[in-house]
Structures are given as structure tokens and as C-alpha cells.
Amino acid sequence: MRYRLETPEPFRPETMQEKIDSTHGLHPSDRYLKPGRIPHIWCPGCGLGIALSAFVKSLDAAAVPIDRCTVVSGIGCTGRAAGYLDLDTYHTTHGRAIPFATGLKLARPELEVVVFSGDGDLFAIGGNHLIHGARRNMDLTVICVNNFNYGMTGGQAGPTTHRSARTTTTPYGNCEYPFNLAHLAYASGAVYVARWTTFHARYLIESLKRCFSKRGFKFVEVIAPCPTGYGRPNKLGSGLDQMKFYRDNSIISHHVPPTDEAMGLKGPLIIGEFVDREKPTFGERYREEVLSRFEDPD
Ligand code: SF4
């Protein structure tokens, strides 16, 4: 059978408000979402809706102007978030969200630039960019939704997959050591590092508010259920079962060094606000140490 793609409706600014009024207004967060893009593609029980909702609530709570906030995402289920947000957003190539965001921040330093992506995108193909973004202390907020596998492409093992976990590429169990993302971000130079689960949405909102009040490379890990790609082969139950697991197995430990706070498949989960420190950003140092010499060579 052959399918014919429908010709998209041409964009007409004069009808946009009408469209927003007819599709928005049912929920307080609707104004952050693109009209006509919901329902989303995420599976029932997926944690991504909670992560996205916490993000838009944090924008509201921190009164970040919509026209000053830009979201950059990479590839994968998490990367789809950029397509649902009614902000300036970029759905970039695999692993390249941080370089796109870096260029954007350098060109438009007044913008609040947020990277919203997943563990595979940010720490596998994009791992190099992440550590160098943190090393430079680029003024970015990086939200990494960690569901421990490549969900969109069929549940393959990735850089955070737990030891012994079953995935489509590790049917007898994963023999690799996973990254501890909080530790890696901290060791690379991030000025703010926190880890929450999707059960801890209110803490997550507070963490993101803190990010919007702070300059430098801020990293927030959000542990989220992927019942389809990871929950099923590992017998973790439904998305709701995993939320109960987060509730019962999380230990909030603020300001502990994230060095040893790795997680096992069956817990415990050490979560909290681990790092909050001050350091000049790349932009500040560049202006003070490079541009000032260029303007005044003597
Ligand atoms: Fe969510 Fe996993 Fe489904 Fe992707 S595959 S939408 S991460 S549950």
C-alpha cells in the first residue's frame, strides 16, 4: 500500500493567534507547547513527559521570558522535546546539541540557552562535547534525561546501562561499567550538578530555577523510566512501578561529592544537589582576558 503525505498547511501569521486560542488554554503550561503537536510520541509510562513538564514549570516559576529562552536538543526520545516546545528550539544532529548551544550562546549571550537531551546522545556520541563544554564553563543549562538505554532505536545498551542489565545488545547482561554522569560533569568542571528522578519533580523544578539564577555550566540529571526499552527486558515493571521504586529507594544527600554516587539496577539511588560553586564563565574570561587585549593592545 502506498501512502501519500498531506501537503502541510502554509504558515500564516494572521491565523496563528486564532490557532493558539483554539488549541491552548486548557492547561496552564499550554502556552509553552506548540499548538497541534500534542499528543506526543512517548510511550505510556515514559518519564519524559514529567521531565518536560518540570522544565516548563521551572521557566514559569523563575519568570524566564519566553523570547529569551532557547532549547537545543539532540537525537533520541528525549530530543523530541524540542519539537513540542513553543520556544525557539533546535533539534540538532546526533550528539551535537552542546556545540550548537555553545555557538548560540557566543553569538547571543543574552539568551538563556538550555540543552535538553538524553544519556545516549549527551554521553556517547556527544560525550566529548559535554566534557569540553563543562571544562570551558560555557553558560548553559544541560538537562540530561537518563533512562539507561537507547529507547528510540530499540533498547540498545548505552554509556549508562547498569552492569548486568539486559538490553537488545546485551541479552545475557551488560559487562561494561557505566558512567556516573554527575561525577563526570563535576570532574569536567560544571559549576552546578544535581540528580533527581521523575518522582522528585518538585525538587527538579527547584534545581532548574537555581540553574536559571546562576551563570556557568549547570548539569541536571533526571533519572526516568523507559518501560518499553529498559523496563521490559529487566523486569522493572510499568512506569508506575518504577516511580514507586524511585520513591522507596532514593536517598536525598545534598552536597555529597558525586564521586561514589553510582547507581545499581536495584538501587539505592543517591540523589540531590551535589555541587554549587562559582567560577567565571567562558564568556566572562574571553571578554576580560582576550577581547580587552584586542581592544587595548598595550
Ligand atoms: Fe519513553 Fe522509552 Fe518509549 Fe522512548 S522508548 S518514549 S524513552 S518509554
Side-chain angles (χ1 to χ4, degrees), residues 54-65 68-71 112-115 139-143 192 204-216 218 220:
F55 169 61
V56 297
K57 285 188 175 130
S58 71
L59 290 180
D60 210 30
V64 177
R68 285 287 183 94
C69 182
T70 302
V71 175
E112 192 69 59
V113 181
V114 178
V115 171
D139 186 17
L140 305 173
T141 296
V142 179
I143 303 168
Y192 181 86
L204 173 59
I205 294 169
E206 289 304 313
S207 256
L208 293 174
K209 273 171 64 185
R210 175 72 185 127
C211 291
F212 298 136
S213 69
K214 194 173 167 62
R215 298 293 115 214
K218 288 94 51 180
V220 179

PDB file of all heavy atoms in Angstrom, residues 54-65 68-71 112-115 139-143 192 204-216 218 220:
ATOM      1  N   ALA A  54       8.254  19.480  34.179  1.00  0.00           N
ATOM      2  CA  ALA A  54       9.046  20.145  35.229  1.00  0.00           C
ATOM      3  C   ALA A  54       9.841  21.295  34.628  1.00  0.00           C
ATOM      4  O   ALA A  54       9.965  22.372  35.226  1.00  0.00           O
ATOM      5  CB  ALA A  54       9.984  19.144  35.894  1.00  0.00           C
ATOM      6  N   PHE A  55      10.348  21.098  33.429  1.00  0.00           N
ATOM      7  CA  PHE A  55      11.123  22.155  32.787  1.00  0.00           C
ATOM      8  C   PHE A  55      10.256  23.396  32.527  1.00  0.00           C
ATOM      9  O   PHE A  55      10.635  24.504  32.877  1.00  0.00           O
ATOM     10  CB  PHE A  55      11.744  21.642  31.478  1.00  0.00           C
ATOM     11  CG  PHE A  55      12.332  22.717  30.635  1.00  0.00           C
ATOM     12  CD1 PHE A  55      13.377  23.495  31.112  1.00  0.00           C
ATOM     13  CD2 PHE A  55      11.831  22.990  29.374  1.00  0.00           C
ATOM     14  CE1 PHE A  55      13.910  24.524  30.345  1.00  0.00           C
ATOM     15  CE2 PHE A  55      12.354  24.012  28.602  1.00  0.00           C
ATOM     16  CZ  PHE A  55      13.399  24.777  29.093  1.00  0.00           C
ATOM     17  N   VAL A  56       9.074  23.203  31.940  1.00  0.00           N
ATOM     18  CA  VAL A  56       8.261  24.393  31.640  1.00  0.00           C
ATOM     19  C   VAL A  56       7.761  25.047  32.930  1.00  0.00           C
ATOM     20  O   VAL A  56       7.660  26.269  33.011  1.00  0.00           O
ATOM     21  CB  VAL A  56       7.096  24.114  30.658  1.00  0.00           C
ATOM     22  CG1 VAL A  56       7.612  23.673  29.316  1.00  0.00           C
ATOM     23  CG2 VAL A  56       6.095  23.135  31.190  1.00  0.00           C
ATOM     24  N   LYS A  57       7.519  24.234  33.963  1.00  0.00           N
ATOM     25  CA  LYS A  57       7.097  24.830  35.241  1.00  0.00           C
ATOM     26  C   LYS A  57       8.229  25.656  35.851  1.00  0.00           C
ATOM     27  O   LYS A  57       8.001  26.684  36.482  1.00  0.00           O
ATOM     28  CB  LYS A  57       6.651  23.738  36.205  1.00  0.00           C
ATOM     29  CG  LYS A  57       5.279  23.206  35.806  1.00  0.00           C
ATOM     30  CD  LYS A  57       4.715  22.278  36.838  1.00  0.00           C
ATOM     31  CE  LYS A  57       3.302  21.898  36.429  1.00  0.00           C
ATOM     32  NZ  LYS A  57       3.057  20.484  36.449  1.00  0.00           N
ATOM     33  N   SER A  58       9.465  25.182  35.643  1.00  0.00           N
ATOM     34  CA  SER A  58      10.597  25.944  36.190  1.00  0.00           C
ATOM     35  C   SER A  58      10.766  27.268  35.446  1.00  0.00           C
ATOM     36  O   SER A  58      11.128  28.280  36.038  1.00  0.00           O
ATOM     37  CB  SER A  58      11.886  25.118  36.128  1.00  0.00           C
ATOM     38  OG  SER A  58      12.328  24.976  34.802  1.00  0.00           O
ATOM     39  N   LEU A  59      10.471  27.280  34.148  1.00  0.00           N
ATOM     40  CA  LEU A  59      10.542  28.541  33.393  1.00  0.00           C
ATOM     41  C   LEU A  59       9.533  29.530  33.958  1.00  0.00           C
ATOM     42  O   LEU A  59       9.820  30.713  34.147  1.00  0.00           O
ATOM     43  CB  LEU A  59      10.207  28.317  31.909  1.00  0.00           C
ATOM     44  CG  LEU A  59      11.195  27.550  31.047  1.00  0.00           C
ATOM     45  CD1 LEU A  59      10.667  27.444  29.624  1.00  0.00           C
ATOM     46  CD2 LEU A  59      12.550  28.232  31.045  1.00  0.00           C
ATOM     47  N   ASP A  60       8.352  29.009  34.231  1.00  0.00           N
ATOM     48  CA  ASP A  60       7.288  29.841  34.767  1.00  0.00           C
ATOM     49  C   ASP A  60       7.685  30.357  36.155  1.00  0.00           C
ATOM     50  O   ASP A  60       7.584  31.543  36.443  1.00  0.00           O
ATOM     51  CB  ASP A  60       6.025  28.975  34.858  1.00  0.00           C
ATOM     52  CG  ASP A  60       4.774  29.797  34.693  1.00  0.00           C
ATOM     53  OD1 ASP A  60       4.833  30.816  33.984  1.00  0.00           O
ATOM     54  OD2 ASP A  60       3.746  29.423  35.281  1.00  0.00           O
ATOM     55  N   ALA A  61       8.150  29.434  37.014  1.00  0.00           N
ATOM     56  CA  ALA A  61       8.486  29.796  38.391  1.00  0.00           C
ATOM     57  C   ALA A  61       9.648  30.786  38.451  1.00  0.00           C
ATOM     58  O   ALA A  61       9.693  31.654  39.312  1.00  0.00           O
ATOM     59  CB  ALA A  61       8.829  28.547  39.185  1.00  0.00           C
ATOM     60  N   ALA A  62      10.588  30.664  37.520  1.00  0.00           N
ATOM     61  CA  ALA A  62      11.750  31.569  37.519  1.00  0.00           C
ATOM     62  C   ALA A  62      11.483  32.809  36.665  1.00  0.00           C
ATOM     63  O   ALA A  62      12.365  33.651  36.519  1.00  0.00           O
ATOM     64  CB  ALA A  62      12.976  30.833  36.996  1.00  0.00           C
ATOM     65  N   ALA A  63      10.286  32.901  36.098  1.00  0.00           N
ATOM     66  CA  ALA A  63       9.899  34.038  35.248  1.00  0.00           C
ATOM     67  C   ALA A  63      10.917  34.276  34.137  1.00  0.00           C
ATOM     68  O   ALA A  63      11.312  35.420  33.864  1.00  0.00           O
ATOM     69  CB  ALA A  63       9.700  35.294  36.090  1.00  0.00           C
ATOM     70  N   VAL A  64      11.341  33.198  33.505  1.00  0.00           N
ATOM     71  CA  VAL A  64      12.263  33.336  32.365  1.00  0.00           C
ATOM     72  C   VAL A  64      11.434  33.789  31.164  1.00  0.00           C
ATOM     73  O   VAL A  64      10.460  33.128  30.801  1.00  0.00           O
ATOM     74  CB  VAL A  64      12.943  31.980  32.032  1.00  0.00           C
ATOM     75  CG1 VAL A  64      13.851  32.105  30.814  1.00  0.00           C
ATOM     76  CG2 VAL A  64      13.727  31.474  33.233  1.00  0.00           C
ATOM     77  N   PRO A  65      11.766  34.935  30.539  1.00  0.00           N
ATOM     78  CA  PRO A  65      10.964  35.372  29.398  1.00  0.00           C
ATOM     79  C   PRO A  65      11.042  34.367  28.248  1.00  0.00           C
ATOM     80  O   PRO A  65      12.130  33.893  27.901  1.00  0.00           O
ATOM     81  CB  PRO A  65      11.612  36.708  28.995  1.00  0.00           C
ATOM     82  CG  PRO A  65      12.507  37.081  30.116  1.00  0.00           C
ATOM     83  CD  PRO A  65      12.874  35.836  30.843  1.00  0.00           C
ATOM     84  N   ARG A  68      13.411  34.880  25.503  1.00  0.00           N
ATOM     85  CA  ARG A  68      14.835  34.875  25.846  1.00  0.00           C
ATOM     86  C   ARG A  68      15.354  33.465  26.080  1.00  0.00           C
ATOM     87  O   ARG A  68      16.503  33.277  26.449  1.00  0.00           O
ATOM     88  CB  ARG A  68      15.062  35.683  27.140  1.00  0.00           C
ATOM     89  CG  ARG A  68      14.987  37.175  26.950  1.00  0.00           C
ATOM     90  CD  ARG A  68      16.238  37.639  26.220  1.00  0.00           C
ATOM     91  NE  ARG A  68      16.253  39.072  26.059  1.00  0.00           N
ATOM     92  CZ  ARG A  68      16.845  39.906  26.899  1.00  0.00           C
ATOM     93  NH1 ARG A  68      17.437  39.437  27.968  1.00  0.00           N
ATOM     94  NH2 ARG A  68      16.835  41.186  26.661  1.00  0.00           N
ATOM     95  N   CYS A  69      14.483  32.469  25.949  1.00  0.00           N
ATOM     96  CA  CYS A  69      14.887  31.098  26.260  1.00  0.00           C
ATOM     97  C   CYS A  69      14.921  30.256  24.991  1.00  0.00           C
ATOM     98  O   CYS A  69      13.968  30.255  24.209  1.00  0.00           O
ATOM     99  CB  CYS A  69      13.909  30.485  27.258  1.00  0.00           C
ATOM    100  SG  CYS A  69      14.377  28.824  27.729  1.00  0.00           S
ATOM    101  N   THR A  70      16.014  29.572  24.792  1.00  0.00           N
ATOM    102  CA  THR A  70      16.171  28.726  23.613  1.00  0.00           C
ATOM    103  C   THR A  70      16.542  27.319  24.073  1.00  0.00           C
ATOM    104  O   THR A  70      17.376  27.155  24.966  1.00  0.00           O
ATOM    105  CB  THR A  70      17.303  29.282  22.724  1.00  0.00           C
ATOM    106  OG1 THR A  70      16.967  30.613  22.383  1.00  0.00           O
ATOM    107  CG2 THR A  70      17.467  28.471  21.471  1.00  0.00           C
ATOM    108  N   VAL A  71      15.916  26.340  23.467  1.00  0.00           N
ATOM    109  CA  VAL A  71      16.189  24.952  23.849  1.00  0.00           C
ATOM    110  C   VAL A  71      16.834  24.226  22.676  1.00  0.00           C
ATOM    111  O   VAL A  71      16.360  24.312  21.540  1.00  0.00           O
ATOM    112  CB  VAL A  71      14.891  24.234  24.272  1.00  0.00           C
ATOM    113  CG1 VAL A  71      15.138  22.763  24.541  1.00  0.00           C
ATOM    114  CG2 VAL A  71      14.309  24.905  25.509  1.00  0.00           C
ATOM    115  N   GLU A 112      18.979  32.691  27.407  1.00  0.00           N
ATOM    116  CA  GLU A 112      19.068  31.565  28.348  1.00  0.00           C
ATOM    117  C   GLU A 112      19.078  30.317  27.473  1.00  0.00           C
ATOM    118  O   GLU A 112      18.067  30.000  26.836  1.00  0.00           O
ATOM    119  CB  GLU A 112      17.828  31.577  29.242  1.00  0.00           C
ATOM    120  CG  GLU A 112      17.885  30.667  30.430  1.00  0.00           C
ATOM    121  CD  GLU A 112      18.878  31.120  31.480  1.00  0.00           C
ATOM    122  OE1 GLU A 112      18.746  32.247  32.004  1.00  0.00           O
ATOM    123  OE2 GLU A 112      19.792  30.331  31.756  1.00  0.00           O
ATOM    124  N   VAL A 113      20.218  29.654  27.368  1.00  0.00           N
ATOM    125  CA  VAL A 113      20.316  28.519  26.444  1.00  0.00           C
ATOM    126  C   VAL A 113      20.292  27.212  27.248  1.00  0.00           C
ATOM    127  O   VAL A 113      21.110  27.008  28.148  1.00  0.00           O
ATOM    128  CB  VAL A 113      21.594  28.609  25.576  1.00  0.00           C
ATOM    129  CG1 VAL A 113      21.657  27.427  24.613  1.00  0.00           C
ATOM    130  CG2 VAL A 113      21.624  29.924  24.803  1.00  0.00           C
ATOM    131  N   VAL A 114      19.334  26.369  26.907  1.00  0.00           N
ATOM    132  CA  VAL A 114      19.132  25.105  27.634  1.00  0.00           C
ATOM    133  C   VAL A 114      19.333  23.949  26.660  1.00  0.00           C
ATOM    134  O   VAL A 114      18.802  23.962  25.543  1.00  0.00           O
ATOM    135  CB  VAL A 114      17.697  25.043  28.205  1.00  0.00           C
ATOM    136  CG1 VAL A 114      17.448  23.708  28.916  1.00  0.00           C
ATOM    137  CG2 VAL A 114      17.435  26.214  29.145  1.00  0.00           C
ATOM    138  N   VAL A 115      20.109  22.963  27.084  1.00  0.00           N
ATOM    139  CA  VAL A 115      20.252  21.727  26.299  1.00  0.00           C
ATOM    140  C   VAL A 115      19.386  20.668  26.976  1.00  0.00           C
ATOM    141  O   VAL A 115      19.501  20.443  28.184  1.00  0.00           O
ATOM    142  CB  VAL A 115      21.726  21.275  26.248  1.00  0.00           C
ATOM    143  CG1 VAL A 115      21.841  19.891  25.616  1.00  0.00           C
ATOM    144  CG2 VAL A 115      22.560  22.289  25.484  1.00  0.00           C
ATOM    145  N   ASP A 139      28.180  28.993  29.543  1.00  0.00           N
ATOM    146  CA  ASP A 139      26.978  29.344  30.304  1.00  0.00           C
ATOM    147  C   ASP A 139      25.754  28.642  29.701  1.00  0.00           C
ATOM    148  O   ASP A 139      25.009  29.234  28.920  1.00  0.00           O
ATOM    149  CB  ASP A 139      26.814  30.876  30.292  1.00  0.00           C
ATOM    150  CG  ASP A 139      25.670  31.309  31.175  1.00  0.00           C
ATOM    151  OD1 ASP A 139      25.231  30.509  32.009  1.00  0.00           O
ATOM    152  OD2 ASP A 139      25.220  32.464  31.027  1.00  0.00           O
ATOM    153  N   LEU A 140      25.579  27.381  30.067  1.00  0.00           N
ATOM    154  CA  LEU A 140      24.479  26.568  29.536  1.00  0.00           C
ATOM    155  C   LEU A 140      23.834  25.794  30.689  1.00  0.00           C
ATOM    156  O   LEU A 140      24.519  25.432  31.654  1.00  0.00           O
ATOM    157  CB  LEU A 140      24.997  25.531  28.527  1.00  0.00           C
ATOM    158  CG  LEU A 140      25.812  26.004  27.333  1.00  0.00           C
ATOM    159  CD1 LEU A 140      26.368  24.799  26.566  1.00  0.00           C
ATOM    160  CD2 LEU A 140      24.957  26.870  26.412  1.00  0.00           C
ATOM    161  N   THR A 141      22.564  25.517  30.556  1.00  0.00           N
ATOM    162  CA  THR A 141      21.906  24.578  31.469  1.00  0.00           C
ATOM    163  C   THR A 141      21.682  23.296  30.694  1.00  0.00           C
ATOM    164  O   THR A 141      21.023  23.317  29.644  1.00  0.00           O
ATOM    165  CB  THR A 141      20.549  25.147  31.950  1.00  0.00           C
ATOM    166  OG1 THR A 141      20.806  26.335  32.702  1.00  0.00           O
ATOM    167  CG2 THR A 141      19.804  24.145  32.818  1.00  0.00           C
ATOM    168  N   VAL A 142      22.244  22.211  31.182  1.00  0.00           N
ATOM    169  CA  VAL A 142      22.119  20.936  30.480  1.00  0.00           C
ATOM    170  C   VAL A 142      21.225  20.000  31.305  1.00  0.00           C
ATOM    171  O   VAL A 142      21.544  19.673  32.451  1.00  0.00           O
ATOM    172  CB  VAL A 142      23.501  20.281  30.253  1.00  0.00           C
ATOM    173  CG1 VAL A 142      23.356  18.933  29.549  1.00  0.00           C
ATOM    174  CG2 VAL A 142      24.397  21.214  29.449  1.00  0.00           C
ATOM    175  N   ILE A 143      20.094  19.627  30.721  1.00  0.00           N
ATOM    176  CA  ILE A 143      19.185  18.678  31.372  1.00  0.00           C
ATOM    177  C   ILE A 143      19.367  17.346  30.648  1.00  0.00           C
ATOM    178  O   ILE A 143      19.125  17.255  29.442  1.00  0.00           O
ATOM    179  CB  ILE A 143      17.721  19.138  31.247  1.00  0.00           C
ATOM    180  CG1 ILE A 143      17.554  20.547  31.845  1.00  0.00           C
ATOM    181  CG2 ILE A 143      16.781  18.142  31.907  1.00  0.00           C
ATOM    182  CD1 ILE A 143      16.214  21.199  31.515  1.00  0.00           C
ATOM    183  N   TYR A 192      27.407  23.555  38.647  1.00  0.00           N
ATOM    184  CA  TYR A 192      26.216  23.101  39.371  1.00  0.00           C
ATOM    185  C   TYR A 192      25.893  21.693  38.879  1.00  0.00           C
ATOM    186  O   TYR A 192      25.811  21.459  37.663  1.00  0.00           O
ATOM    187  CB  TYR A 192      25.025  24.035  39.099  1.00  0.00           C
ATOM    188  CG  TYR A 192      23.777  23.623  39.835  1.00  0.00           C
ATOM    189  CD1 TYR A 192      23.551  24.049  41.134  1.00  0.00           C
ATOM    190  CD2 TYR A 192      22.833  22.796  39.231  1.00  0.00           C
ATOM    191  CE1 TYR A 192      22.416  23.653  41.827  1.00  0.00           C
ATOM    192  CE2 TYR A 192      21.703  22.397  39.919  1.00  0.00           C
ATOM    193  CZ  TYR A 192      21.496  22.832  41.212  1.00  0.00           C
ATOM    194  OH  TYR A 192      20.370  22.437  41.886  1.00  0.00           O
ATOM    195  N   LEU A 204      13.148  18.829  41.289  1.00  0.00           N
ATOM    196  CA  LEU A 204      13.714  19.095  39.960  1.00  0.00           C
ATOM    197  C   LEU A 204      13.396  20.533  39.520  1.00  0.00           C
ATOM    198  O   LEU A 204      14.268  21.247  39.013  1.00  0.00           O
ATOM    199  CB  LEU A 204      13.141  18.069  38.969  1.00  0.00           C
ATOM    200  CG  LEU A 204      13.468  18.249  37.503  1.00  0.00           C
ATOM    201  CD1 LEU A 204      14.976  18.223  37.264  1.00  0.00           C
ATOM    202  CD2 LEU A 204      12.801  17.128  36.677  1.00  0.00           C
ATOM    203  N   ILE A 205      12.175  20.955  39.750  1.00  0.00           N
ATOM    204  CA  ILE A 205      11.794  22.336  39.388  1.00  0.00           C
ATOM    205  C   ILE A 205      12.662  23.332  40.165  1.00  0.00           C
ATOM    206  O   ILE A 205      13.175  24.298  39.600  1.00  0.00           O
ATOM    207  CB  ILE A 205      10.286  22.569  39.669  1.00  0.00           C
ATOM    208  CG1 ILE A 205       9.444  21.701  38.731  1.00  0.00           C
ATOM    209  CG2 ILE A 205       9.922  24.046  39.513  1.00  0.00           C
ATOM    210  CD1 ILE A 205       7.969  21.634  39.088  1.00  0.00           C
ATOM    211  N   GLU A 206      12.869  23.061  41.464  1.00  0.00           N
ATOM    212  CA  GLU A 206      13.696  23.978  42.267  1.00  0.00           C
ATOM    213  C   GLU A 206      15.133  24.007  41.750  1.00  0.00           C
ATOM    214  O   GLU A 206      15.765  25.056  41.690  1.00  0.00           O
ATOM    215  CB  GLU A 206      13.682  23.555  43.752  1.00  0.00           C
ATOM    216  CG  GLU A 206      12.364  23.804  44.440  1.00  0.00           C
ATOM    217  CD  GLU A 206      11.907  25.264  44.345  1.00  0.00           C
ATOM    218  OE1 GLU A 206      12.725  26.160  44.596  1.00  0.00           O
ATOM    219  OE2 GLU A 206      10.732  25.497  43.983  1.00  0.00           O
ATOM    220  N   SER A 207      15.655  22.845  41.363  1.00  0.00           N
ATOM    221  CA  SER A 207      17.017  22.785  40.817  1.00  0.00           C
ATOM    222  C   SER A 207      17.120  23.604  39.539  1.00  0.00           C
ATOM    223  O   SER A 207      18.098  24.331  39.330  1.00  0.00           O
ATOM    224  CB  SER A 207      17.378  21.336  40.470  1.00  0.00           C
ATOM    225  OG  SER A 207      18.222  20.790  41.418  1.00  0.00           O
ATOM    226  N   LEU A 208      16.120  23.483  38.677  1.00  0.00           N
ATOM    227  CA  LEU A 208      16.176  24.209  37.406  1.00  0.00           C
ATOM    228  C   LEU A 208      16.038  25.710  37.646  1.00  0.00           C
ATOM    229  O   LEU A 208      16.679  26.519  36.963  1.00  0.00           O
ATOM    230  CB  LEU A 208      15.095  23.686  36.454  1.00  0.00           C
ATOM    231  CG  LEU A 208      15.338  22.239  36.004  1.00  0.00           C
ATOM    232  CD1 LEU A 208      14.174  21.710  35.191  1.00  0.00           C
ATOM    233  CD2 LEU A 208      16.626  22.134  35.187  1.00  0.00           C
ATOM    234  N   LYS A 209      15.234  26.073  38.636  1.00  0.00           N
ATOM    235  CA  LYS A 209      15.154  27.504  38.988  1.00  0.00           C
ATOM    236  C   LYS A 209      16.529  28.014  39.420  1.00  0.00           C
ATOM    237  O   LYS A 209      16.939  29.107  39.071  1.00  0.00           O
ATOM    238  CB  LYS A 209      14.163  27.700  40.142  1.00  0.00           C
ATOM    239  CG  LYS A 209      12.732  27.861  39.680  1.00  0.00           C
ATOM    240  CD  LYS A 209      11.775  27.838  40.833  1.00  0.00           C
ATOM    241  CE  LYS A 209      11.939  28.975  41.806  1.00  0.00           C
ATOM    242  NZ  LYS A 209      11.049  28.820  42.985  1.00  0.00           N
ATOM    243  N   ARG A 210      17.220  27.204  40.193  1.00  0.00           N
ATOM    244  CA  ARG A 210      18.584  27.584  40.630  1.00  0.00           C
ATOM    245  C   ARG A 210      19.501  27.757  39.405  1.00  0.00           C
ATOM    246  O   ARG A 210      20.293  28.688  39.334  1.00  0.00           O
ATOM    247  CB  ARG A 210      19.140  26.497  41.571  1.00  0.00           C
ATOM    248  CG  ARG A 210      20.571  26.709  41.987  1.00  0.00           C
ATOM    249  CD  ARG A 210      20.731  27.857  42.961  1.00  0.00           C
ATOM    250  NE  ARG A 210      22.118  28.127  43.279  1.00  0.00           N
ATOM    251  CZ  ARG A 210      22.697  29.331  43.180  1.00  0.00           C
ATOM    252  NH1 ARG A 210      22.009  30.383  42.786  1.00  0.00           N
ATOM    253  NH2 ARG A 210      23.962  29.481  43.504  1.00  0.00           N
ATOM    254  N   CYS A 211      19.352  26.865  38.443  1.00  0.00           N
ATOM    255  CA  CYS A 211      20.178  26.970  37.223  1.00  0.00           C
ATOM    256  C   CYS A 211      19.933  28.306  36.521  1.00  0.00           C
ATOM    257  O   CYS A 211      20.871  28.934  36.028  1.00  0.00           O
ATOM    258  CB  CYS A 211      19.845  25.845  36.246  1.00  0.00           C
ATOM    259  SG  CYS A 211      20.367  24.233  36.807  1.00  0.00           S
ATOM    260  N   PHE A 212      18.679  28.748  36.476  1.00  0.00           N
ATOM    261  CA  PHE A 212      18.379  29.989  35.758  1.00  0.00           C
ATOM    262  C   PHE A 212      18.884  31.222  36.506  1.00  0.00           C
ATOM    263  O   PHE A 212      18.921  32.303  35.947  1.00  0.00           O
ATOM    264  CB  PHE A 212      16.871  30.115  35.498  1.00  0.00           C
ATOM    265  CG  PHE A 212      16.331  29.014  34.627  1.00  0.00           C
ATOM    266  CD1 PHE A 212      15.143  28.384  34.926  1.00  0.00           C
ATOM    267  CD2 PHE A 212      17.039  28.596  33.506  1.00  0.00           C
ATOM    268  CE1 PHE A 212      14.656  27.345  34.137  1.00  0.00           C
ATOM    269  CE2 PHE A 212      16.566  27.564  32.711  1.00  0.00           C
ATOM    270  CZ  PHE A 212      15.371  26.941  33.021  1.00  0.00           C
ATOM    271  N   SER A 213      19.266  31.043  37.773  1.00  0.00           N
ATOM    272  CA  SER A 213      19.766  32.198  38.519  1.00  0.00           C
ATOM    273  C   SER A 213      21.290  32.180  38.582  1.00  0.00           C
ATOM    274  O   SER A 213      21.900  32.962  39.291  1.00  0.00           O
ATOM    275  CB  SER A 213      19.201  32.177  39.942  1.00  0.00           C
ATOM    276  OG  SER A 213      19.775  31.095  40.654  1.00  0.00           O
ATOM    277  N   LYS A 214      21.911  31.278  37.873  1.00  0.00           N
ATOM    278  CA  LYS A 214      23.347  31.055  38.028  1.00  0.00           C
ATOM    279  C   LYS A 214      24.018  31.048  36.668  1.00  0.00           C
ATOM    280  O   LYS A 214      23.422  30.598  35.688  1.00  0.00           O
ATOM    281  CB  LYS A 214      23.480  29.679  38.702  1.00  0.00           C
ATOM    282  CG  LYS A 214      24.801  29.359  39.263  1.00  0.00           C
ATOM    283  CD  LYS A 214      24.748  28.051  40.041  1.00  0.00           C
ATOM    284  CE  LYS A 214      26.155  27.594  40.334  1.00  0.00           C
ATOM    285  NZ  LYS A 214      26.944  28.477  41.146  1.00  0.00           N
ATOM    286  N   ARG A 215      25.230  31.548  36.598  1.00  0.00           N
ATOM    287  CA  ARG A 215      25.981  31.548  35.324  1.00  0.00           C
ATOM    288  C   ARG A 215      26.975  30.396  35.316  1.00  0.00           C
ATOM    289  O   ARG A 215      27.555  30.061  36.347  1.00  0.00           O
ATOM    290  CB  ARG A 215      26.752  32.875  35.151  1.00  0.00           C
ATOM    291  CG  ARG A 215      25.924  34.124  35.082  1.00  0.00           C
ATOM    292  CD  ARG A 215      25.077  34.170  33.831  1.00  0.00           C
ATOM    293  NE  ARG A 215      23.664  34.126  34.156  1.00  0.00           N
ATOM    294  CZ  ARG A 215      22.729  33.540  33.418  1.00  0.00           C
ATOM    295  NH1 ARG A 215      23.007  32.919  32.307  1.00  0.00           N
ATOM    296  NH2 ARG A 215      21.480  33.561  33.785  1.00  0.00           N
ATOM    297  N   GLY A 216      27.197  29.819  34.160  1.00  0.00           N
ATOM    298  CA  GLY A 216      28.186  28.754  34.012  1.00  0.00           C
ATOM    299  C   GLY A 216      27.532  27.474  33.532  1.00  0.00           C
ATOM    300  O   GLY A 216      26.360  27.449  33.137  1.00  0.00           O
ATOM    301  N   LYS A 218      25.752  24.282  34.001  1.00  0.00           N
ATOM    302  CA  LYS A 218      24.918  23.656  35.015  1.00  0.00           C
ATOM    303  C   LYS A 218      24.417  22.320  34.455  1.00  0.00           C
ATOM    304  O   LYS A 218      23.945  22.279  33.315  1.00  0.00           O
ATOM    305  CB  LYS A 218      23.703  24.537  35.341  1.00  0.00           C
ATOM    306  CG  LYS A 218      24.035  25.791  36.133  1.00  0.00           C
ATOM    307  CD  LYS A 218      24.273  27.020  35.333  1.00  0.00           C
ATOM    308  CE  LYS A 218      23.255  27.373  34.322  1.00  0.00           C
ATOM    309  NZ  LYS A 218      23.573  28.611  33.579  1.00  0.00           N
ATOM    310  N   VAL A 220      21.986  18.946  35.167  1.00  0.00           N
ATOM    311  CA  VAL A 220      20.936  18.304  35.970  1.00  0.00           C
ATOM    312  C   VAL A 220      20.579  16.974  35.314  1.00  0.00           C
ATOM    313  O   VAL A 220      20.137  16.936  34.161  1.00  0.00           O
ATOM    314  CB  VAL A 220      19.691  19.209  36.084  1.00  0.00           C
ATOM    315  CG1 VAL A 220      18.606  18.509  36.897  1.00  0.00           C
ATOM    316  CG2 VAL A 220      20.043  20.554  36.714  1.00  0.00           C
TER     317      VAL A 220
END
